Structure formats: structure tokens, C-alpha cells
């Protein structure tokens, strides 16, 4: 039982049969075709030699198949994590050096260990601190940075820069040196890929192909672009006219090697590794959950952490770099019929064959083609419309999203995501530090209490009834003190304050002390504090303290009980009154 | 109107009369007697010359009287802020140097500007991020550190150390060098002060003095100790036998000077200034609010920030160091009859006279007496019993409190308070990331829905009803997705999921996306998602999106409406059934 929990392969492996294997194999072929150019391109995005992309697409896939719980997740290099890898590793080593590759490997190991530890300690909830608007803003901004960073390869210039402004400025300076042939290749590949993505499949179906086949051909667009542009360079000798090519890729098995354990390197990469782990996990678990739900299956988030952790540890020991579950690739895997994680293992075999046999064919592959592949892939991640939707629904979420986008574009991926997380936590605390408080009155002819600003209700001059629409905790404890103090200071006739707690899910130690302070202050001023409709679990905890012994007033089961006890004549009269529509005209109900 | 808001003196000053002035004067005399030794002692605690304590007790009090809203708050040097000043300034300059004093002055200016800015921007809520257990733990730990740090003066040894362990180790090493006469003075002053605080007033009353006079005499205990020990040193020539004395204190007006504006100094003190501001404000506003409530008055927290800000700016321009409202001193001020902030201004005049005339008399004052004054004052702040009370009520609050105490003792005041704030925010997010979710059934013979684990209730096999006892936001959005996915995967018979939202005060953008994802996944699996009892403000915001248009199910006004619509036969039968006591035996109701 426990072994199956940590080794999900024992579960689905026991029932594995020929039909499942056929489905998985078909999916694996399609994903392999898609993954070969992607893995080369994302290695380039991460600043690494192209073969590293292949290495990162073999062992990690097999290990995820053993430890992962998603039946359809396709693990491997992905755009955003590759960008984050480049940003992190670029701080400790120069691109093109063995130290740079070694740092990328160490980053994969650290990320793998962190993910595994988070899984074993069930810390998957840490991913929740990335709110959806922050993730969406981060991915949008990353997509823009990635696309901008690839423009130099499309143009064939040597531009640099660490943030969007620098990249664009550097491009503007160097655009005079652009290689026209490279630009033609880059732009036409990008145009073809955009076209293939939108139009090729409908076109093929219209030409009479079966939808399944049309889909596979359309998905092979990048492979066609790779083949065509490689042939063009080779046939026309374009590499001698300034077109940058991938060049010699060592063929063979991934190198087995121990990653660097240098403490100085590890400590300078620690924050980056944590951010990569969390971002990778969030991206991966979202798509895994969506795909699982379509077949009414379930994934286990904490075990997913272990699966992704194993994949990254595998990447580290076979010369790879940080990997996670890719969105587009997983959807393709699912649509192609993958039924178990074995599809991933079969994909790994496909990539292994490519690493052994195909690399000589990639010698003349133009770098501009890979750049175009990346641009087309990441632009689908860019969703600036999300800003408008978030604005319409929630101002605090909008602020966090805008800050994430602006800081990611301006100061890089790590600053952006940290600011987004910090700001969304701050704004959540801020929002809940000023909860909605309604002053209540009795709806005539009923036992219901409503906001006196929105409804025609009955109140008693010496009884103040308030409903707090929030749990009481440290961030709003003082707000409640202020609120009650103001209300009481404003009305000398008051003798009783009743707090209706139907929306209070928790009272923490700070809020308890505030309630005690409110009670003592009211007592000193000759008033009594009462509570009503306190929830069971909250009441259980209050009973463990002496708060209820000292409380100047009572705890009432219902708000009506409270009103009836404190103002019996008014409550009786209102209760017997004819019930009427209590909502005030809109002008008065504005707040 | 607006001018009165920012200058509360215009409000109470307009109605100031002879009676009020008499009350304020009496209070001012008593507070002055109490403040003279305190101001000298807290300056010493901050590592500053004794006269700086007097300087910090003149201009700040007058400025607070102009801008503050509390009628009883006594502003000036206080123990915890003095300790924090010493910790902050000690990082940038050596004690005894002009740079050290200059840095303390700059710290007061920064803190004053921060407080004023927070007040003008209405950022007083930032003080809420210090939860009560964290403040209480911080003050307890500070009290212990302060008391330990003064033991060297009591013993007359030169000990050092930056945290409790170092201070105690250093004391243990140097205790052999203790000066016996100094120790006798220190211990007997401390013993006298403890005795005076507990026993002197009852004793005097028993001797027939009027309670008011007995109180004033008891409060003058520290002044008596100062006078007696000074006379003893002078008369017996003890300073020639190794007893450390205060020595020459320059007499005269506080120096008017422009504080340092060195950017390097400011940036290295910025975090400290923020922490001092927030801690000082929290301490001050708590006591101000408590005292105001006793007379059914109110204070304005954002204006209090401006009042304390002005006080600190005043301290900075007159050679002082950071000040705030002191707890014990304010209570004395209130009990002595202070009716307006003018009492503070009168106290300032008293301290000014002391600075002009009394300083020669303090030449022979033993440092050990001041140390004993500090120890007796701060030990009343130490409240280790709070740990037990917090443990009984709330484990997360206990963890934050314990961490604050341990880190403050082990690593100093700033590490302690930052860890406490961070941990309490983290634990709050963690707790609300795993909200209580109850699966509901209908109580027979009613329209009430209760937890199926606690009550004998009626359910329908194809309808899952869940109540979430928490607002939905980013920290628990994924929890909800997981929870629904698990529940649905476990029960193939389900066709409907109803989320009862009576305890949901907010749905942020992340939670909205999670609800959309849940809905789409349920739809893909052939189920429908319904909501019930959605609150007005939450519904208003949902209506601004297209969520409700796409929702696979309906939004029901009440949970019973939902159940009746989805399982009419079962609902009707249960509704008509005879009502019975539904609670299960305790063994089953455990969760």
C-alpha cells in the first residue's frame, strides 16, 4: 500500500497490456517528433549546447514514468524553466564554459532534491503562494522576454541584455549588422510555423486526410521546418555566407557524471533552485490535473513532487538541466492517446535513438530555425488580455499581476516572481485587515438581521449589533478594536454591543486578546459585549480559555435570541409586525 | 475641519480652562519625577550619554501635545525602543563616539519621517502585521536581554555581548572582577525598588496617609533611590573606591542641530528605523487606546502616527534619540489625572528645568542605581506565562511566539521580530490553505444541513454537498481543486457537486480560476457544479465575470433549494420526516 503510494508504476504496471502499450507507443512517436526540435531549442534558450536538450529528455522521462502519478504528463525541457535556468546560471558562470554547464547540472540536482523533499514532507501547499494572476503574469512576461531574446538569432546579430529594455536596446544597436539570409530563414520558418499551427490541420482535413493523420502532420510542423531549412543550408552552402548553424553535436549516450557539490555554488543557486522548483511544479500540476480530470482520474500532488524531483535528479546525473511537465506537449500526449506514464518512457527511447543516430543530420540546422521554433511556442504563452480580466474582477489581484509583469520585464524573472508573491500576500493581508462590517437591524416580521444601510430594519437605541464578514486574526484584530471604539464613542446611549460571528471561521490569539481588550474597555465605559452565532470549532477553542468566564455579556445561539434578550419589547413588536419588502431604494443602498 | 484632524490641539485647546490646567499640572509633576531617572537610564541603555535622555524628553513631548490624539499618553524614551536603538546604532558606530550619537539622532529622524509618512498615507494597518503573540514574545525577550545587559553595571564589571548567551558568558568570565561596593549599591537599590513598587503604597496608607499622596510617594521610589545612593557616594567618597558614577552632565538647553543626511548611513539604518517605528507605534497605540476607552474617548491611529512622527523628528533636531509612548508612564499620567496632552507639555517644562538646574546634582549618581532602575522596570515586561496561555489556545500562534523569543534571545532584536512576523504570516496562510470542509446532509424534518460525520443526516447518492469554512483565495484555491477531484474520483455514482458558500467572504481571482477549472473538469467527467448561499458582495463580483454564464450547474439561494432541485424525492421525504436529535454518539463525532 505504502510502496504503491511512492511507486505508482506498481499500480498501473500490474494491469499493463498490449492495447495500452499500442496507445502509448503511438503517443510516444508523436511526442518524440515534437520533442526533438523543442529539446534542442530550449537547451539553446538555457544557454547550453543543443545535445544537452536531448540528454534532459531521456532519463527524466523514464524516472517520471516510475514515480509520477499523471497518466498524460510529458516531462522534459520547457520554455519558462529554461529561461529561469539561464538567468540563474548566468549569474555564476559565463555561457559556453564547462562551469556554466556544470552549474546547470547542479541546479537540476538541487531542484530535484528540493522537489523530492517537498513531496516527502508534503509541502506541496507552498506552490499555493503563487497566486494564479502572479503565475499568469509571470508566464506572459517570460514569454515576451524569451521571444525578444531570440530575435538576435533570427536576425543573425550578436546582441545581449539582461532585461527587456537592454535586449531591445542592444538589438536596435546591432540591427545594422543583420545577416539578410539568416533573417529570411528565421522569418519564413516563424511564418510557416504560425501558419502550420493555425491552418495546416484544417487544410489537410479539407484535402481528405483522416483527422488523426492530419493532426500528426500538423504537429510535425517544426520537424518539417528543421528538415527544410537544414537541407537549404546544406544544399546552398549558406553557412559559408554567414548563417549560423548548430554545428557538430556529439552523438552517443548521455554522459553519466556526478554533479558538482561545491557549497559556494549551491548556496548561490539555492533561491533560484527553489523558484524553479515551485514554478515548474505549479505549471506541471495544473496541466496534469486538467488532463486527469478529463478521464475522471486523479493525481496526487505530493507524489507529483516526488516524480518531478526524481526526473530532475535523473537529469542531473545524465548531463541534463532542469525539466518539468510541459503544457503543450502534455496536451499532445493526451490527445494522441497516451494511457499510462509508459508513453513517456517510450518517448525517452525515441529521443535516445535520436541522440545516437540523428545528430550528424543536424549539423547544418540553422540556429535561426530553432529561434523561430521558440518564438512561435512562447508567444502562445503571452496573455496580456489576462490583465484586463483581472482588473475587471479584482483590483488587488490586478496590482499583483501588473507588478509581476513589470518587474519581470524590467528586473528579470527572479525579481518578478518574488515581487508578485510578496505583493499578493501583502494585499491579501491588507484586504482581510479591513473586513466588511455590517451594522444590523431586525427585518420586521422575521428573525432575520440585515445591514441597516441596505434594508428597512428595526433597531434598539441602546443595542449595537454588528456582523463581521471575516475570520478574526492578527491583521484585522486592531481594526475591530478601532471599529468598536469609534462606534461606541459616537453614541452615548449605547449599553450593549453584540458581535454576530456567523462568518468568523477562526479567532486567533491576537483576535482573542483584542476581544478581551474590547470587552474590558466596554466594561470600563459601562457597556456589555455579547457574541452570537459563534461556530462550533471557534466556540470549542474559546471554551479552552477563561475569556467566556470574564466576558461582560453573554453568548447567544442566534442573533434573534440576543436581540430579544436585550430589547424584548422592541424585538417582540418587530417580530409580530407584518413582513414587508425591506430593501431600500438603490440610492440609499449604495454601500 | 481638516486642520483639526491634523492638529488635535485646536480641538481640546479651544476648551482649555483653569480646572483642566490644574489636573494636567499635578499629573505633569508626578510624571516628571518618574521620568528624570528613567530618561537618564534609558539613554544609558541606548548607549548614549545621560543628558541625551533628558533632551529626548523635552521637544518630543511638546510636539506630541500638538499633534497627538491621546489625552493621557506620556511620550519619551522607553526600554524596548532604547534597546533596539542600541542594536541598530551599534552596527554602524562604536559606543561613546560622536558618530554613535549622530547615528542615533539620524535614526530618530528616519523613524519620525517614516511614522509621519505612514500617518499621512494611512498605513497604520502595517502595525497589524505584528501579531499579539509576536509582540508579547518580543517584549518578553527584550526585557530579559535588557535586564541581563544591566547586570554588568550592578556588578561593576566590563562585560559585553550581543545576544543573551554572549552577555551571560561574558558576565561569567568577568564576575571575578566585581566591585563589592557597586554590587551592594546595585542590589540594594533593586531590592528597594521592588519593595517600593509592591509594598510602599499600602504601607503608607496603613500609616494614615491619603491614598493620593501615598501613591505619589510610592511612584517617587526611583527618585529616592537616586538621591540616597548619590548622597552615599558623595558622603563616603565611594567613587574613589571603584564605584562607577555618571559624572559631569553638561547642563543647559538641548542642542539644536541638523541630523546627518548621509545616504550610506540612512540606507544601513533603514530597516532598523522601520522596525523601531512599527514596534514603537504598536506599544504606544495599545496603551493610548486602553486609556482612552476608560473615559469613552477615542484616539485616531493614523493621527497617532503623525503625533509620534513629530515627536521623533523633534527628538532628532534637539539631540535626542527615538521615543514613543511608554506604558507604565502613561498609566501613571492617566491615574494622576492628566486630562489633555498639555500634561505632556508641562512635563517637558519640568524636564527642561532639570536639564538646566539639576545636572550638577547628578555627578555622584552611581551607574548601578540607574541599572537597577532599568532592571526593575523591564522585569515587569517579562511574561513567560504568555507562552503557556498561547499554547493552550493556538499552536500556530505559540510557534510564532516561541520563535520570536528564541530568535530575539539568540540573534538579537531585529532577527527576532522579523522571524516572528514572517512566521505568523506564513502560519496564517498555511492554516487557511487547508480550510475545514464538511460534507453535508439534510437533518430530517428540517431545512438544515449538517456535517455527515457529526450528525445523522439524509444524503442522495448522486449529489455531493460540501461546505467550505473559509474565504477562497490563492492559498487554498488548489486545495479546493484537489479536494473536489478526490471526492469525485472516489465515487463514480456522483452526478452533482454543490458548494455551500455561506462562510465564503471572498473569492479572489485565483479561486475564481480554480472554480472555473473545477467546473470544466466536472463537466468533462459528466458532472455539474452548483453553488448555494453565495453572499451578496461575492455574488456581485461573480456577476462582473462570465463565470456564471459558463457554470455547468446553478446558483441556489439556499442549500435546501439545491437539494430539493437535485434530489426532489429524497428531499421531500426527509423534510416531512419527524425531526429527531441528529448528533451521533461522541465516538463517531470525533472529527
Amino acid at each position: 500500500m505504502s510502496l504503491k503510494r511512492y511507486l505508482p508504476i506498481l499500480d498501473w504496471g500490474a494491469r499493463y497490456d498490449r492495447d495500452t502499450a499500442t496507445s502509448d507507443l503511438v503517443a510516444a512517436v508523436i511526442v518524440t517528433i515534437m520533442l526533438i526540435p523543442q529539446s534542442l531549442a530550449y537547451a539553446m534558450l538555457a544557454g547550453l549546447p543543443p545535445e544537452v536538450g536531448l540528454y534532459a529528455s531521456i532519463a527524466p522521462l523514464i524516472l517520471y514514468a516510475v514515480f509520477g502519478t499523471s497518466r498524460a504528463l510529458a516531462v522534459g525541457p520547457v520554455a519558462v524553466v529554461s529561461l529561469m535556468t539561464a538567468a540563474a546560471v548566468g549569474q555564476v558562470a559565463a555561457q559556453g564554459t564547462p562551469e556554466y554547464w556544470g552549474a546547470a547540472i547542479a541546479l537540476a540536482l538541487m531542484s530535484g532534491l528540493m522537489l523530492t523533499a517537498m513531496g516527502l514532507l508534503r509541502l506541496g501547499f507552498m506552490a499555493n503562494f503563487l497566486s494564479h494572476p502572479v503565475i499568469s503574469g509571470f508566464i506572459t512576461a517570460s514569454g515576451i522576454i524569451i521571444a525578444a531574446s531570440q530575435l538576435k538569432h533570427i536576425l543573425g546579430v550578436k546582441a545581449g541584455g539582461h532585461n527587456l529594455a537592454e535586449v531591445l536596446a542592444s538589438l536596435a544597436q546591432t540591427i545594422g549588422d543583420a545577416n539578410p539570409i539568416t533573417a529570411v530563414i528565421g522569418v519564413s520558418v516563424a511564418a510557416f510555423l504560425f501558419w502550420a499551427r493555425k491552418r495546416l490541420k484544417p487544410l489537410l482535413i479539407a484535402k481528405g486526410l483522416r483527422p488523426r493523420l492530419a493532426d500528426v502532420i500538423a504537429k510535425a510542423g517544426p520537424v518539417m521546418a528543421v528538415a527544410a531549412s537544414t537541407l537549404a543550408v546544406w544544399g546552398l552552402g549558406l553557412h559559408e555566407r554567414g548563417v549560423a548553424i548548430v554545428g557538430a553535436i556529439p552523438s552517443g549516450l548521455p554522459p553519466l557524471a556526478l554533479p558538482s557539490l561545491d557549497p559556494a555554488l549551491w548556496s548561490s543557486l539555492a533561491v533560484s533552485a527553489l523558484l524553479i522548483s515551485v514554478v515548474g511544479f505549479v505549471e506541471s500540476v495544473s496541466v496534469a490535473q486538467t488532463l486527469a480530470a478529463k478521464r475522471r482520474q486523479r493525481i496526487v500532488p505530493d507524489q507529483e513532487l516526488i516524480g518531478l524531483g526524481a526526473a530532475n535528479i535523473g537529469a542531473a546525473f545524465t548531463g541534463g538541466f532542469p525539466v518539468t511537465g510541459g503544457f503543450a506537449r502534455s496536451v499532445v500526449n493526451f490527445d494522441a492517446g497516451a494511457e499510462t506514464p509508459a508513453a513517456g518512457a517510450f518517448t525517452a527511447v525515441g529521443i535516445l535513438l535520436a541522440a545516437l543516430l540523428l545528430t550528424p543530420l543536424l549539423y547544418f540546422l540553422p540556429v535561426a530555425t530553432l529561434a523561430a521554433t521558440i518564438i512561435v511556442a512562447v508567444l502562445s504563452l503571452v496573455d496580456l488580455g489576462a490583465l484586463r480580466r483581472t482588473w475587471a474582477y479584482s483590483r488587488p489581484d490586478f496590482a499583483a499581476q501588473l507588478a509581476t509583469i513589470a518587474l519581470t520585464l524590467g528586473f528579470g524573472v527572479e525579481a518578478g516572481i518574488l515581487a508578485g508573491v510578496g505583493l499578493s500576500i501583502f494585499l491579501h493581508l491588507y484586504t482581510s485587515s479591513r473586513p466588511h462590517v455590517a451594522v444590523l437591524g431586525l427585518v420586521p416580521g422575521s428573525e432575520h438581521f440585515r445591514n441597516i444601510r441596505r434594508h428597512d430594519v428595526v433597531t434598539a437605541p441602546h443595542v449595537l449589533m454588528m456582523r463581521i464578514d471575516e475570520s478574526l486574526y492578527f491583521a484585522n484584530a486592531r481594526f475591530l478594536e478601532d471599529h468598536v471604539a469609534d462606534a461606541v464613542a459616537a453614541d452615548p446611549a449605547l449599553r450593549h454591543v453584540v458581535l454576530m460571528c456567523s462568518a468568523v471561521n477562526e479567532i486567533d490569539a491576537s483576535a482573542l486578546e483584542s476581544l478581551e481588550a474590547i470587552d474590558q474597555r466596554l466594561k470600563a465605559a459601562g457597556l456589555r459585549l455579547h457574541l452570537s452565532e459563534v461556530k462550533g470549532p471557534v466556540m470549542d477553542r474559546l471554551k479552552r480559555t477563561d475569556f467566556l468566564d470574564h466576558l461582560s455579556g453573554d453568548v447567544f445561539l442566534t442573533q434573534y435570541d440576543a436581540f430579544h434578550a436585550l430589547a424584548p419589547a422592541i424585538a417582540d413588536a418587530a417580530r409580530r409586525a407584518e413582513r414587508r419588502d425591506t430593501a431600500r431604494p438603490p440610492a440609499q443602498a449604495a454601500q
Side-chain angles (χ1 to χ4, degrees), chain A residues 292-337:
Chain A
K294 286 196 181 175
R295 294 203 191 123
R296 214 159 168 161
Q297 295 163 343
R298 59 192 289 268
I299 60 159
V300 184
D302 285 325
Q303 181 62 25
E304 280 300 287
L305 283 163
I306 297 175
L308 292 173
N312 276 290
I313 294 171
F317 280 91
T318 56
F321 67 109
V323 294
T324 193
F327 180 77
R329 208 180 300 147
S330 301
V331 173
V332 168
N333 195 32
F334 180 87
D335 288 344

Side-chain angles (χ1 to χ4, degrees), chain A residues 400-412:
Chain A
Q401 190 167 39
L402 188 65
T404 307
I405 294 180
L407 287 165
T408 304
L409 292 180
F411 299 95

Side-chain angles (χ1 to χ4, degrees), chain A residues 133 136-145 164 378-392 398 401-402 404-406 409:
Chain A
S136 137
F138 178 70
I139 289 180
T140 287
S142 299
I144 294 173
I145 292 179
L164 189 65
V378 298
L379 283 184
S380 68
L381 302 177
V382 174
D383 178 14
L384 286 170
L387 274 176
R388 190 178 33 74
R389 292 194 301 276
T390 313
W391 169 262
F398 172 79
Q401 190 167 39
L402 188 65
T404 307
I405 294 180
L409 292 180

Side-chain angles (χ1 to χ4, degrees), chain A residues 34-404:
Chain A
M34 187 176 177
L35 185 52
I36 291 173
Q38 276 194 359
S39 61
L40 301 173
Y42 292 145
M44 187 174 89
L45 175 58
L48 293 162
E51 66 271 20
V52 177
L54 297 173
Y55 301 161
S57 309
I58 301 172
L61 279 66
I62 294 171
L63 284 162
Y64 181 81
V66 175
F67 292 102
T69 60
S70 165
R71 303 295 177 95
L73 195 71
V75 170
V78 306
V80 172
V81 167
S82 301
L83 174 70
M84 294 178 80
T85 300
V89 177
Q91 285 168 5
V92 298
Q95 267 195 34
T97 61
E99 287 74 31
Y100 189 92
W101 189 2
I105 290 173
L107 193 64
L109 180 60
M110 293 171 73
S111 170
L113 293 174
M114 284 178 181
L115 286 163
T116 308
M118 283 164 70
L120 292 173
L121 300 172
R122 311 207 176 178
L123 292 177
F125 71 90
M126 279 181 66
N128 299 340
F129 292 1
L130 288 179
S131 76
H132 293 207
V134 167
I135 298 173
S136 137
F138 178 70
I139 289 180
T140 287
S142 299
I144 294 173
I145 292 179
I146 294 170
S149 74
Q150 298 306 307
L151 285 177
K152 64 181 176 197
H153 297 304
I154 298 272
L155 297 170
V157 298
K158 292 204 185 304
H162 290 92
N163 57 46
L164 189 65
E166 285 178 24
V167 166
L168 294 179
S170 173
L171 272 179
Q173 277 186 349
T174 54
I175 198 161
D177 311 333
N179 180 300
I181 305 176
T182 305
V184 167
I185 296 174
V187 171
S188 40
V189 168
F192 168 74
L193 291 176
F194 273 119
W195 174 81
R197 193 149 91 183
K198 297 250 159 142
R199 315 263 177 213
L200 187 55
K201 186 175 158 189
L203 186 76
L204 292 173
I205 292 174
K207 295 268 180 205
L209 262 71
R210 278 178 304 139
R212 184 78 179 259
L213 187 60
D215 195 41
V216 173
I217 295 176
K219 292 275 155 44
V223 167
M224 291 183 239
V226 163
S229 61
T230 305
L231 283 172
V233 171
W234 173 68
L236 303 172
L238 299 178
H239 58 293
E240 286 163 3
R241 296 169 65 187
V243 173
I245 56 172
V246 166
I249 303 178
S251 73
L253 292 171
L256 274 179
L258 198 68
S260 159
L261 300 174
D262 175 17
L265 179 67
W266 278 50
S267 77
S268 56
L269 291 178
V271 173
S272 307
L274 183 64
L275 292 178
I276 287 176
S277 304
V278 172
V279 169
F281 173 63
V282 169
E283 205 180 334
S284 184
V285 84
S286 312
V287 58
Q289 213 154 27
T290 302
L291 297 178
K294 286 196 181 175
R295 294 203 191 123
R296 214 159 168 161
Q297 295 163 343
R298 59 192 289 268
I299 60 159
V300 184
D302 285 325
Q303 181 62 25
E304 280 300 287
L305 283 163
I306 297 175
L308 292 173
N312 276 290
I313 294 171
F317 280 91
T318 56
F321 67 109
V323 294
T324 193
F327 180 77
R329 208 180 300 147
S330 301
V331 173
V332 168
N333 195 32
F334 180 87
D335 288 344
E339 288 189 20
T340 74
F346 297 152
T347 303
V349 174
I351 299 288
L352 182 66
L353 291 174
L356 289 173
L357 308 173
L358 285 186
T359 54
L361 301 182
L362 297 170
Y363 184 89
F364 290 103
L365 171 59
V367 171
T369 300
L370 290 181
T373 312
I374 295 176
I375 289 178
V376 174
V378 298
L379 283 184
S380 68
L381 302 177
V382 174
D383 178 14
L384 286 170
L387 274 176
R388 190 178 33 74
R389 292 194 301 276
T390 313
W391 169 262
Y393 184 66
S394 161
R395 298 294 184 276
D397 279 314
F398 172 79
Q401 190 167 39
L402 188 65
T404 307

Side-chain angles (χ1 to χ4, degrees), chain A residues 431-573:
Chain A
T431 309
S432 64
S433 78
R434 309 184 159 216
H436 179 244
V437 177
V439 174
L440 303 177
L442 177 62
V443 176
S446 80
E447 293 187 4
H448 292 297
F449 287 78
R450 290 290 166 86
N451 193 333
I452 59 169
R453 296 198 182 200
R454 291 196 188 221
H455 301 270
D456 267 328
V457 288
V458 176
T459 57
H462 63 298
V463 181
L464 175 67
M465 299 180 286
M466 300 202 290
R467 188 191 70 222
I468 309 121
D469 285 345
E470 190 69 63
S471 287
L472 298 176
Y473 76 111
F474 62 86
N476 57 31
R478 200 172 308 279
F479 171 87
L480 186 65
E481 290 181 45
D482 293 348
H483 207 85
V484 173
D486 287 358
V488 170
D491 186 352
L494 285 182
R495 288 294 166 266
H496 299 278
V497 175
V498 185
L499 296 183
M500 180 175 173
C501 301
S502 52
V504 175
N505 299 311
E506 199 214 337
I507 296 179
D508 80 351
S510 300
L512 178 66
E513 283 190 27
S514 281
L515 285 177
E516 283 170 346
I518 291 169
D519 183 43
Q520 280 165 15
R521 289 171 194 163
L522 290 180
K523 211 186 289 181
L527 285 89
R528 294 173 68 203
L529 175 69
H530 311 269
L531 306 180
S532 78
E533 308 203 2
V534 181
K535 295 194 174 196
V538 174
M539 197 68 186
D540 289 349
R541 280 174 67 193
L542 288 181
K543 281 183 182 156
R544 297 216 304 265
T545 71
D546 58 359
F547 172 70
L548 297 173
D549 307 334
H550 297 313
L551 184 67
S552 59
D554 298 307
V555 180
F556 295 97
L557 205 62
T558 71
Q559 182 62 28
Y560 183 77
D561 289 352
F563 193 51
H564 192 269
L566 302 174
I570 298 173
D572 277 340

